Amino acid sequence: MKLNIANPTTGRQKLIDIEDEKKVRVFYDKRLGAEVSGDELGDQFKGYVFKITGGNDKQGFPMMQGVLTNQRVRLLLDKNNNCYRPRRTGERKRKSVRGCVVAPDIAVLSLVVVKKGPEDLEGLTNDPIPRRLGPKRASRIRKLFNLTKDDDVRKFVITREIVKEGKKKHVKSPKIQRLVTPLALQRKRARIALKKKRAAKSKAEAAEYIKLLAQRNKEKRQSVISKKRTQKESQKGSQKVSVKADGVKSTGKAAAKAGAGKAAAKGKAAGKATAKGVTKAGSKKGAAKATGKTAAKAAAAKKVVAKAAGKAKSKAAAKTPAKAGAKTEAKTAAKAKAQPKAGAKKQAGTPKPSAPKGVQKAEKAAPKTTAKSAAKAPSKASAAKTPSKTPAATKPAAGKGKTAAAKK
């Protein structure tokens, strides 16, 4: 087995071929990244500590970290895996790789010196090679030379001389990255100030927008409230008007009812009086006159009440105030009181109207007595007034009286 040993401190690398398998057994069953002491490799390697970094088998397939086997396997690899470099974007390929465990099939094993022993290894630790290129980053330069923040990094940059035949010698030095200079600080301050200015501007604009939005919302709320107020006021006004109209209607109805009640009471009283007069008088003429007058009065009273009610309704619809309704009711009541007599005179020659219930009952009971008394009364009166020259002259009068009474 061949051992490819590298020393990072000197920049040297050496390949050692060990044919004795007993010396190499130290590395068997060790994984990548494991540290192994070099005491069993020989006296010259005493005190050295090596770290396994990789290897290849006899067919040239590399060891892959994370594959926990000591054999060869085929894996589908892409750009994120080791041991494979894709030639096209998104390309994947199934490749054969060795596991990360060291086995006798390994031909070359890569090692790195972690700890140096007391003796130098010729061509590995004794002759250091100067670094061709130094670090570019400022923090790494400080780390290499153990510098503080106060030290100037530009003085410790690693340079290299370039010499060409027939030309002057010149020096090349890398451009230091992430170097903090006064100009860099000024630019940083300018960036921060610009950020702050933008933030303040956006904040002011946001506050102005919120203020404008609040004002618009307030105006909208006020318009809605004013609309609601106007609607409420209109509703209240309509309710008041309806209440006044209802009051006028109710007063007109009450007055009409009162007038009708009074007329009915008068009709009843008149009916009772006529019934008494008919029974007491016993004469057909008196009964007929009394019933006619009462019936005429009742009919006149009904007409007056109906007219008053109609006028009250029309005036209540025309005039909303309650005082006007009260005045009209008073006028209609006065007219109702004044008109019964005139109505009775006008309706004296008209046929007999329907009398109230009390009067009708009295009339039903009265005709029997009045008919008999009327038949007897004319005969006696004619006998008393006219001389009894011819008995035939009195008979036709009695007959006429009967027919007239019957007609009445």
Side-chain angles (χ1 to χ4, degrees):
M1 183 184 286
K2 293 180 181 180
L3 301 177
N4 189 6
I5 303 169
N7 187 9
T9 56
T10 58
R12 293 276 181 181
Q13 187 174 338
K14 190 175 183 180
L15 183 66
I16 301 170
D17 190 2
I18 298 175
E19 294 181 356
D20 192 359
E21 191 178 350
K22 292 181 180 178
K23 293 181 180 180
V24 184
R25 282 179 183 175
V26 183
F27 299 103
Y28 290 170
D29 297 330
K30 293 286 191 299
R31 291 167 57 181
L32 290 177
E35 292 182 357
V36 182
S37 66
D39 296 340
E40 295 184 10
L41 295 176
D43 294 336
Q44 58 181 351
F45 293 104
K46 281 186 178 179
Y48 281 86
V49 177
F50 300 103
K51 182 181 178 181
I52 302 172
T53 58
N56 298 83
D57 61 0
K58 291 176 182 179
Q59 284 77 28
F61 292 102
M63 296 174 70
M64 187 175 178
Q65 181 69 279
V67 182
L68 300 176
T69 182
N70 58 358
Q71 297 175 356
R72 191 187 304 168
V73 293
R74 283 177 63 81
L75 299 174
L76 186 66
L77 305 177
D78 59 4
K79 64 177 183 178
N80 297 320
N81 300 114
N82 296 326
C83 307
Y84 173 66
R85 183 175 62 86
R87 268 63 175 176
R88 302 178 69 179
T89 56
E91 183 183 10
R92 296 188 300 169
K93 200 169 185 179
R94 194 171 293 278
K95 302 280 286 183
S96 293
V97 293
R98 297 287 308 186
C100 66
V101 181
V102 180
D105 298 338
I106 300 297
V108 181
L109 195 66
S110 299
L111 303 174
V112 174
V113 176
V114 177
K115 185 180 177 183
K116 184 186 173 184
E119 294 184 6
D120 287 335
L121 296 174
E122 197 173 327
L124 187 66
T125 58
N126 57 355
D127 189 11
I129 297 174
R131 293 184 66 174
R132 179 176 171 272
L133 299 174
K136 287 182 72 175
R137 193 178 295 177
S139 59
R140 290 181 180 176
I141 295 169
R142 288 193 187 96
K143 186 179 179 182
L144 180 64
F145 294 102
N146 292 325
L147 302 176
T148 61
K149 289 184 178 181
D150 298 330
D151 296 328
D152 191 1
V153 182
R154 290 173 289 184
K155 294 178 181 179
F156 296 90
V157 178
I158 296 172
T159 60
R160 58 192 177 94
E161 293 181 356
I162 296 173
V163 180
K164 289 184 179 180
E165 292 182 1
K167 290 186 178 181
K168 290 183 179 180
K169 189 190 297 183
H170 68 278
V171 179
K172 274 192 174 182
S173 61
K175 183 183 178 182
I176 301 170
Q177 303 295 323
R178 301 183 186 178
L179 182 64
V180 180
T181 59
L183 185 61
L185 293 173
Q186 182 181 355
R187 287 172 180 167
K188 186 179 179 181
R189 285 194 299 270
R191 284 196 304 272
I192 293 168
L194 186 62
K195 278 185 181 179
K196 287 181 179 179
K197 188 177 179 181
R198 286 175 181 169
K201 185 182 177 183
S202 63
K203 193 174 180 181
E205 288 177 354
E208 188 177 355
Y209 174 71
I210 290 167
K211 189 177 179 182
L212 181 64
L213 195 65
Q215 185 179 358
R216 287 181 180 173
N217 289 334
K218 188 178 179 182
E219 290 174 357
K220 194 175 181 180
R221 257 185 271 114
Q222 286 178 353
S223 64
V224 170
I225 290 166
S226 63
K227 282 182 181 178
K228 286 183 179 179
R229 282 178 182 170
T230 52
Q231 288 177 0
K232 284 183 180 179
E233 287 175 358
S234 62
Q235 286 177 1
K236 284 182 180 179
S238 61
Q239 286 177 0
K240 284 180 181 179
V241 170
S242 62
V243 166
K244 286 181 180 179
D246 292 340
V248 171
K249 285 181 182 179
S250 61
T251 52
K253 286 181 181 179
K257 283 182 181 179
K262 286 180 181 179
K266 285 182 180 179
K268 283 183 181 180
K272 286 180 182 180
T274 51
K276 285 181 182 180
V278 168
T279 52
K280 286 181 180 179
S283 61
K284 192 176 181 181
K285 287 182 179 180
K289 284 182 181 179
T291 51
K293 285 181 181 180
T294 52
K297 284 182 181 180
K302 278 187 179 181
K303 284 187 177 182
V304 169
V305 169
K307 284 181 181 180
K311 286 182 180 180
K313 283 183 181 180
S314 61
K315 286 184 179 180
K319 294 180 181 180
T320 53
K323 290 182 179 180
K327 286 180 180 179
T328 53
E329 288 167 7
K331 287 180 181 180
T332 51
K335 286 181 181 179
K337 287 180 181 179
Q339 283 179 358
K341 292 180 181 180
K345 287 180 181 178
K346 285 180 182 179
Q347 291 179 1
T350 57
K352 182 181 176 182
S354 60
K357 289 182 180 180
V359 177
Q360 288 176 5
K361 287 179 182 180
E363 284 179 356
K364 284 179 183 179
K368 294 178 182 179
T369 56
T370 53
K372 289 179 182 180
S373 59
K376 289 178 182 180
S379 61
K380 288 179 182 180
S382 60
K385 287 180 182 179
T386 57
S388 59
K389 289 180 180 179
T390 55
T394 57
K395 285 180 182 178
K400 286 179 183 178
K402 282 182 183 179
T403 53
K407 283 180 181 179
K408 287 181 179 178

